[in-house]
Amino acid sequence: MLNKYARAFFTRVLTPFAAFLLRRGVSPDAVTLIGTAGVVAGALVFFPRGEFFWGTITITLFVFSDLIDGNMARQAGVSSRWGAFLDSTLDRVADAAIFGGLALWYAGGGNHDVLCAVSIFCLASGQVVSYTKARGESIGLPVAVNGLIERAERLVITLVAAGLSGLQTFGVPSWIGALLPIALWVVAAGSLVTLIQRVVTVRREAAEADAAAADGGVV
């Protein structure tokens, strides 16, 4: 849902910056790699130590590379299958680092096995949700469904909650720390719903495609 509206808005906002990078000779692939490295570093350096505010700030600064690299490729007229593949693959790496960092916190200093398991479920379900669409499209199906919670929603919900929870460091009342566990449960439940939506859609589209192929083969 957020992909449809937020991406269009931020693309317009970031277009001048993308043009600036192109003039400086920076390639879209370089932006993709640097952005992913920044997200991974922010997630795995700060989150396992419970430093959610600074971790979120670092991740947010780099996560916009996902919009900038595509914008640069379009402006330069160099959009390619390789660029799309690299971008999609490194998105999965970044997502894994974010939820992996949270899982490490709850497995260690956070001392909460259930929330550690929920974080791991968010990590795994996010990967599978993306895989279902990619796999469905690879066998020729449109997978015409977005789902309740996609990547943009997962990131926004999790990072906003993590950043706000981190404000405890600055003297904000401790109740705000409950936002992150709530967000993880919401993302986990929403990801499960999205996964079911996509599996059901692929099953329906596959049945329709098989039926159409069978009808077309009748003499």
Side-chain angles (χ1 to χ4, degrees):
M1 292 181 289
L2 285 176
N3 278 338
K4 181 178 179 180
Y5 301 105
R7 182 174 289 271
F9 170 76
F10 283 111
T11 295
R12 290 195 298 272
V13 171
L14 295 171
T15 292
F17 182 61
F20 169 80
L21 292 177
L22 286 171
R23 290 196 297 271
R24 294 298 181 273
V26 180
S27 72
D29 286 353
V31 171
T32 302
L33 291 167
I34 293 170
T36 302
V39 171
V40 170
L44 296 183
V45 170
F46 292 102
F47 281 0
R49 298 188 295 182
E51 297 178 8
F52 298 129
F53 179 78
W54 293 114
T56 300
I57 293 297
T58 303
I59 291 168
T60 302
L61 289 175
F62 286 99
V63 81
F64 283 107
S65 66
D66 189 45
L67 299 176
I68 295 173
D69 54 7
N71 193 315
M72 292 172 65
R74 286 189 293 273
Q75 288 191 48
V78 295
S79 297
S80 66
R81 291 182 176 85
W82 161 249
F85 170 81
L86 180 67
D87 185 59
S88 179
T89 300
L90 293 184
D91 281 350
R92 308 287 83 75
V93 173
D95 292 358
I98 291 170
F99 289 105
L102 293 173
L104 288 173
W105 162 248
Y106 286 117
N111 192 29
H112 201 303
D113 291 345
V114 172
L115 289 176
C116 176
V118 173
S119 299
I120 293 172
F121 179 83
C122 290
L123 188 164
S125 60
Q127 306 295 317
V128 177
V129 163
S130 297
Y131 174 79
T132 53
K133 186 173 181 65
R135 182 59 178 142
E137 291 175 342
S138 74
I139 58 176
L141 301 175
V143 195
V145 61
N146 289 324
L148 181 63
I149 290 187
E150 297 183 288
R151 183 173 189 258
E153 287 84 1
R154 289 196 303 271
L155 291 182
V156 169
I157 292 170
T158 303
L159 293 178
V160 168
L164 291 175
S165 294
L167 291 176
Q168 293 179 88
T169 306
F170 303 98
V172 174
S174 60
W175 61 262
I176 202 168
L179 292 179
L180 181 54
I182 291 171
L184 289 173
W185 280 107
V186 169
V187 170
S191 296
L192 179 59
V193 171
T194 303
L195 177 58
I196 293 171
Q197 287 176 305
R198 289 194 174 178
V199 169
V200 169
T201 298
V202 169
R203 187 177 188 278
R204 174 179 52 79
E205 291 177 349
E208 292 172 352
D210 290 343
D215 290 343
V218 175
V219 178

